[in-house]
Amino acid sequence: MESILSRAMDAAVLRQQVAADNIANVNTPGFRRRFVRFEEALARALRGRGVAGMRTHPKHFPIGAASVREVQPQVVLDATSAMRNDGNNVDIEREMAINAAAELQYAALTQVASARYRMLRSAISQGGR
């Protein structure tokens, strides 16, 4: 569970960084926005927890879905949308909304992690009584 929380927090931070980079380049001609892809890969990894082959060499083909530990947030170039004639596709309002959502997501994940540690601390301290 901590692994999933940690990965999700990493994805939220990366999403804020990418949105900030997109906002910083809103007036750069030819700049293409980027976005973070994470939740789909995590969902696939969680669904495919059944059979998975173990890779003992980097050239081995993966068998089954990736494990949750292998899921990493990925930065993807958005080459499909066009906003302006100069080739820049950054929509500042969309990026601000993404940034705010990532901030809220990070705060929520932090609360979940904090609650888990409080429960753990309570269980440890209760064991000593």
Side-chain angles (χ1 to χ4, degrees):
M1 183 64 162
E2 278 70 24
S3 175
I4 295 172
L5 271 174
S6 170
R7 303 254 185 233
M9 290 169 81
D10 290 345
V13 169
L14 183 61
R15 190 165 283 132
Q16 283 183 309
Q17 291 171 345
V18 168
D21 186 52
N22 289 339
I23 291 168
N25 287 291
V26 70
N27 290 324
T28 304
F31 183 82
R32 308 298 288 184
R33 73 176 290 270
R34 297 177 302 151
F35 62 96
V36 174
R37 185 175 290 161
F38 173 70
E39 285 78 8
E40 302 89 9
L42 180 63
R44 271 195 312 272
L46 290 172
R47 275 193 311 265
R49 281 189 160 177
V51 177
M54 182 174 193
R55 293 174 59 184
T56 57
H57 191 275
K59 291 185 177 181
H60 289 169
F61 291 111
I63 299 172
S67 75
V68 172
R69 293 182 189 273
E70 295 174 354
V71 175
Q72 297 287 332
Q74 293 181 330
V75 178
V76 180
L77 183 70
D78 182 4
T80 59
S81 63
M83 287 280 300
R84 301 189 317 228
N85 290 337
D86 66 357
N88 188 314
N89 64 351
V90 176
D91 178 1
I92 187 108
E93 292 177 7
R94 176 174 53 183
E95 300 303 328
M96 295 294 283
I98 289 170
N99 198 15
E103 186 177 331
L104 288 174
Q105 183 183 28
Y106 187 83
L109 290 168
T110 302
Q111 287 181 355
V112 170
S114 177
R116 290 188 56 84
Y117 285 117
R118 275 195 310 270
M119 286 180 3
L120 232 137
R121 188 178 316 130
S122 173
I124 291 170
S125 66
Q126 296 294 323
R129 290 184 184 178

